[in-house]
Amino acid sequence: MSNALDQLSSKTRLEWLSALNTEYRPAKQLRRSSIICTIGPKTNSAEKINMLRKAGLNVVRMNFSHGEYAYHQSVIDNAREAERQIPGRPLAIALDTKGPEIRTGNTVDDADIPISEGTEMNITTDEKYKAACDDKNMFVDYKNITKVIEPGRTIYVDDGVLSFEVIKVIDEKTLHVRCMNNGKISSRKGVNLPKTDVDLPALSEKDKADLRFGVKNKVDMVFASFIRRGDDIKSIREVLGEDGREIQIIAKVENQQGVNNFDEILKETDGVMVARGDLGIEIPPAQVFIAQKMMIAKCNLAGKPVICATQMLESMTYNPRPTRAEVSDVGNAVLDGADCVMLSGETAKGNYPRESVTMMHEACLLAEQAIPYVSLFDELRGLATKPTDVTESCAISAVSASLELNAGAILVLTTSGKTARIISKYRPLCPIIMVTRNPTASRYSHLYRGVYPFLFPEKKPNFNKTIWQEDVDRRLSWGIEEAIKLGILSKGDPVVCVQGWRGGMGHTNTIRIVPAQQDLGLSEADP
């Protein structure tokens, strides 16, 4: 159960699963899935971020639904200071946008007003109720609500704490509704319109300002909230502009519209987040399970990274141990094919941030042992679109060779990280060591399952004066040395190396097999 030879002896998924050993512990702590942690008041210091890095943190997340720019700047500064204090694998920074949203107005004096099941009232866009909501008239800030909703539809307020059934559309500003449960009307609560296609703009003015802040601070990725169509991604790229061209856009799919338009979203985006919080309000909770599996599978087939998020270890916000269901949820997300898993309140405001990351690490590490890598690779290879391009053909061959050789690692030299991403698509059993001169790519490549990115410290030489292959060998040797230092590789392991025939992007076409030693086995060659 510990290497490719064990995997090759099992021909089917069921055969592999039936042979699992609950007491097995991998010899090397090689977790392939990345862990994203939201940084909040409990963890916003270089010391705390390094504590989380030691436990397993790969990507720092800033939630722009809360906090001012000064606070978010402090998170960025602390993350970079943490990396400066303890060098090693790069640490990525993600900006999570607030996104377009619908909110209620304010009640008089911001009081909580009780409301009973069966109460009939109006939901209105009339500005005179904006600061005067009560149990007769409740303001919402979405002007087109009366145009897009129909009688019989449901309106959820405050994450579904209050729900209303639409009885009729009175006029262009007013809906007559019936309250479906006891609760309280409060100020500035979020509103969800399940099964209703809304026409809000992809980006609010706040989102645009937040994206410009991210570009200025060179964040590595954007988690774009409430993406409903492919054009939303294009709008974000326009705002990021030339200076933000390397920033990866991760589409958060959080409503029925996004699920319905998933194929066009996937075509445009760099990756996807299955954001199960709002999704579980917008569609019935039992359907979230199906949506998660569908979206992860489509991302796997497209070779694009996918993140599973929301309430993964929620109970650890205030408890030192998770529920059994939560641990199974993390494990099943890994088995589904998620590249990354995410913690929110557990690390932002929780009492046990380090324990939460440690538990996430453990759950991912062991779940990865339950994956039948050979049958998964055969399935992915069989489903690849033919003819494949040169880079993808090299990726498939590299993964095949790594299994047959029982290789210690696949080492890839890349500029943009694309080759590493495509190798990751085919889910090799061994780690993927990525060596790049591109600082941004070295950070955002944490999004790809199994990729261990390293930033090569030397500048690109002038190849009119330096022989290309000498520079290649120097990078391969350095990558092997760094991987041995971190315990990813053992000396003498076979290493499958993937490289290009010349510099720049898009030239990957060569595979070499070398031993994990500084001279790449060249000193043993005949003269």
Coordinates of all heavy atoms in Angstrom, one line a residue, residues 120-124 145-147 149-155 164-178:
E120 N -48.3 38.0 6.8 CA -48.2 38.5 5.4 C -47.7 39.9 5.5 O -48.1 40.7 6.3 CB -49.5 38.4 4.7 CG -49.9 36.9 4.5 CD -51.1 36.8 3.5 OE1 -51.5 37.8 2.9 OE2 -51.7 35.7 3.4
M121 N -46.7 40.3 4.6 CA -46.1 41.6 4.6 C -45.6 41.9 3.2 O -45.8 41.1 2.2 CB -45.0 41.6 5.6 CG -43.9 40.6 5.3 SD -42.5 40.7 6.5 CE -41.8 42.3 6.2
N122 N -45.0 43.0 3.0 CA -44.4 43.4 1.7 C -42.9 43.4 1.8 O -42.3 43.8 2.8 CB -44.9 44.8 1.3 CG -46.4 44.9 1.1 OD1 -47.0 43.9 0.6 ND2 -47.0 46.1 1.4
I123 N -42.3 43.0 0.7 CA -40.8 43.2 0.5 C -40.7 44.2 -0.7 O -41.3 44.0 -1.7 CB -40.1 41.8 0.1 CG1 -40.1 41.0 1.4 CG2 -38.7 42.1 -0.4 CD1 -39.4 39.6 1.2
T124 N -40.0 45.3 -0.4 CA -40.1 46.4 -1.3 C -38.7 47.0 -1.6 O -37.8 46.8 -0.8 CB -41.0 47.5 -0.7 OG1 -41.0 48.6 -1.6 CG2 -40.4 48.0 0.6
I145 N -35.8 43.0 -8.4 CA -36.4 41.7 -7.8 C -37.8 41.4 -8.3 O -38.2 40.3 -8.5 CB -36.3 41.8 -6.2 CG1 -36.7 40.5 -5.6 CG2 -37.2 42.9 -5.7 CD1 -36.4 40.4 -4.1
T146 N -38.6 42.5 -8.5 CA -40.0 42.3 -8.9 C -40.0 41.8 -10.4 O -41.0 41.2 -10.8 CB -40.8 43.6 -8.8 OG1 -40.1 44.6 -9.5 CG2 -40.9 43.9 -7.3
K147 N -39.0 42.0 -11.1 CA -38.9 41.6 -12.5 C -38.5 40.2 -12.7 O -38.9 39.5 -13.7 CB -38.0 42.5 -13.3 CG -38.5 44.0 -13.4 CD -37.4 44.8 -14.1 CE -37.8 46.3 -14.0 NZ -36.8 47.2 -14.6
I149 N -38.5 37.6 -10.2 CA -39.1 36.6 -9.3 C -40.6 36.3 -9.7 O -41.2 37.2 -10.3 CB -39.0 37.0 -7.8 CG1 -39.0 35.7 -6.9 CG2 -40.1 38.0 -7.4 CD1 -38.4 35.9 -5.6
E150 N -41.1 35.1 -9.3 CA -42.5 34.8 -9.7 C -43.2 34.3 -8.4 O -42.6 33.9 -7.4 CB -42.5 33.6 -10.6 CG -41.8 33.9 -12.0 CD -41.6 32.6 -12.8 OE1 -42.0 31.5 -12.3 OE2 -41.1 32.7 -13.9
P151 N -44.5 34.4 -8.4 CA -45.3 33.9 -7.3 C -45.0 32.4 -7.1 O -44.8 31.7 -8.0 CB -46.8 34.1 -7.7 CG -46.7 35.3 -8.6 CD -45.4 35.1 -9.4
G152 N -44.9 32.0 -5.8 CA -44.6 30.6 -5.5 C -43.2 30.4 -5.1 O -42.8 29.4 -4.5
R153 N -42.3 31.4 -5.5 CA -40.9 31.2 -5.2 C -40.6 31.6 -3.8 O -41.4 32.3 -3.1 CB -40.0 32.2 -6.2 CG -40.1 31.7 -7.6 CD -39.1 30.6 -7.9 NE -39.2 30.0 -9.2 CZ -38.7 30.5 -10.3 NH1 -37.9 31.5 -10.2 NH2 -38.8 29.8 -11.4
T154 N -39.4 31.2 -3.3 CA -39.0 31.4 -1.9 C -37.9 32.5 -1.9 O -37.1 32.6 -2.7 CB -38.5 30.1 -1.3 OG1 -39.5 29.1 -1.4 CG2 -38.1 30.3 0.2
I155 N -38.0 33.3 -0.8 CA -36.9 34.3 -0.5 C -36.4 34.0 0.8 O -37.1 33.8 1.8 CB -37.5 35.7 -0.5 CG1 -38.1 36.1 -1.9 CG2 -36.4 36.7 -0.1 CD1 -38.8 37.5 -1.9
F164 N -39.5 33.4 3.2 CA -40.8 34.0 2.8 C -41.2 33.3 1.4 O -40.4 33.1 0.5 CB -40.7 35.5 2.5 CG -40.3 36.3 3.8 CD1 -39.0 36.5 4.1 CD2 -41.3 36.7 4.6 CE1 -38.6 37.2 5.3 CE2 -40.9 37.4 5.8 CZ -39.6 37.7 6.1
E165 N -42.5 33.1 1.3 CA -43.1 32.7 0.0 C -43.7 33.9 -0.7 O -44.5 34.7 -0.1 CB -44.2 31.6 0.3 CG -44.8 31.1 -1.0 CD -46.0 30.2 -0.8 OE1 -46.4 30.0 0.4 OE2 -46.6 29.7 -1.8
V166 N -43.4 34.0 -2.0 CA -44.0 35.1 -2.7 C -45.4 34.8 -3.1 O -45.7 33.8 -3.8 CB -43.1 35.4 -4.0 CG1 -43.8 36.5 -4.8 CG2 -41.7 35.7 -3.7
I167 N -46.3 35.6 -2.7 CA -47.8 35.5 -3.0 C -48.1 36.1 -4.3 O -48.7 35.5 -5.2 CB -48.7 36.0 -1.9 CG1 -48.3 35.3 -0.5 CG2 -50.1 35.9 -2.2 CD1 -49.0 35.9 0.7
K168 N -47.7 37.4 -4.5 CA -47.9 38.1 -5.7 C -47.0 39.3 -5.9 O -46.5 39.8 -4.9 CB -49.4 38.5 -5.9 CG -49.8 39.6 -4.9 CD -51.3 39.9 -5.1 CE -51.8 41.0 -4.1 NZ -53.2 41.4 -4.3
V169 N -46.8 39.7 -7.1 CA -46.1 40.9 -7.4 C -47.1 42.0 -7.5 O -48.0 42.1 -8.4 CB -45.3 40.8 -8.8 CG1 -44.6 42.1 -9.1 CG2 -44.4 39.6 -8.8
I170 N -47.0 43.0 -6.6 CA -48.0 44.1 -6.5 C -47.7 45.1 -7.6 O -48.6 45.5 -8.3 CB -48.0 44.7 -5.1 CG1 -48.5 43.7 -4.1 CG2 -48.9 45.9 -5.0 CD1 -48.4 44.2 -2.6
D171 N -46.5 45.6 -7.6 CA -46.1 46.6 -8.6 C -44.6 46.5 -8.9 O -44.0 45.5 -8.4 CB -46.5 48.0 -8.2 CG -46.0 48.4 -6.9 OD1 -44.8 48.1 -6.6 OD2 -46.7 49.1 -6.1
E172 N -44.0 47.4 -9.6 CA -42.6 47.3 -9.9 C -41.6 47.4 -8.7 O -40.4 47.2 -8.9 CB -42.2 48.4 -11.0 CG -42.4 49.8 -10.5 CD -42.0 50.8 -11.6 OE1 -41.9 50.4 -12.7 OE2 -41.9 52.0 -11.2
K173 N -42.2 47.9 -7.6 CA -41.3 48.0 -6.4 C -41.7 47.0 -5.3 O -40.9 46.9 -4.3 CB -41.5 49.4 -5.8 CG -40.8 50.5 -6.7 CD -40.9 51.8 -6.0 CE -40.2 52.9 -6.8 NZ -40.2 54.2 -6.1
T174 N -42.8 46.3 -5.4 CA -43.4 45.7 -4.2 C -43.8 44.2 -4.5 O -44.5 43.9 -5.5 CB -44.6 46.4 -3.6 OG1 -44.2 47.8 -3.5 CG2 -45.0 45.9 -2.3
L175 N -43.4 43.3 -3.5 CA -43.8 41.9 -3.5 C -44.7 41.7 -2.3 O -44.3 42.2 -1.2 CB -42.7 41.0 -3.5 CG -41.6 41.0 -4.6 CD1 -40.4 40.2 -4.3 CD2 -42.2 40.6 -5.9
H176 N -45.8 41.0 -2.4 CA -46.5 40.6 -1.2 C -46.1 39.1 -0.9 O -46.1 38.3 -1.7 CB -48.0 40.6 -1.5 CG -48.9 40.5 -0.3 ND1 -48.7 41.3 0.8 CD2 -49.8 39.6 0.1 CE1 -49.6 41.0 1.8 NE2 -50.2 39.9 1.4
V177 N -45.7 38.9 0.4 CA -45.1 37.6 0.8 C -45.7 37.1 2.1 O -46.3 37.9 2.8 CB -43.6 37.8 1.0 CG1 -42.9 38.2 -0.3 CG2 -43.2 38.7 2.1
R178 N -45.5 35.8 2.3 CA -46.0 35.2 3.6 C -44.8 34.6 4.3 O -44.0 33.9 3.6 CB -47.0 34.1 3.3 CG -47.5 33.4 4.5 CD -48.4 32.2 4.2 NE -49.6 32.7 3.5 CZ -49.9 32.4 2.3 NH1 -49.1 31.7 1.5 NH2 -51.0 32.8 1.7

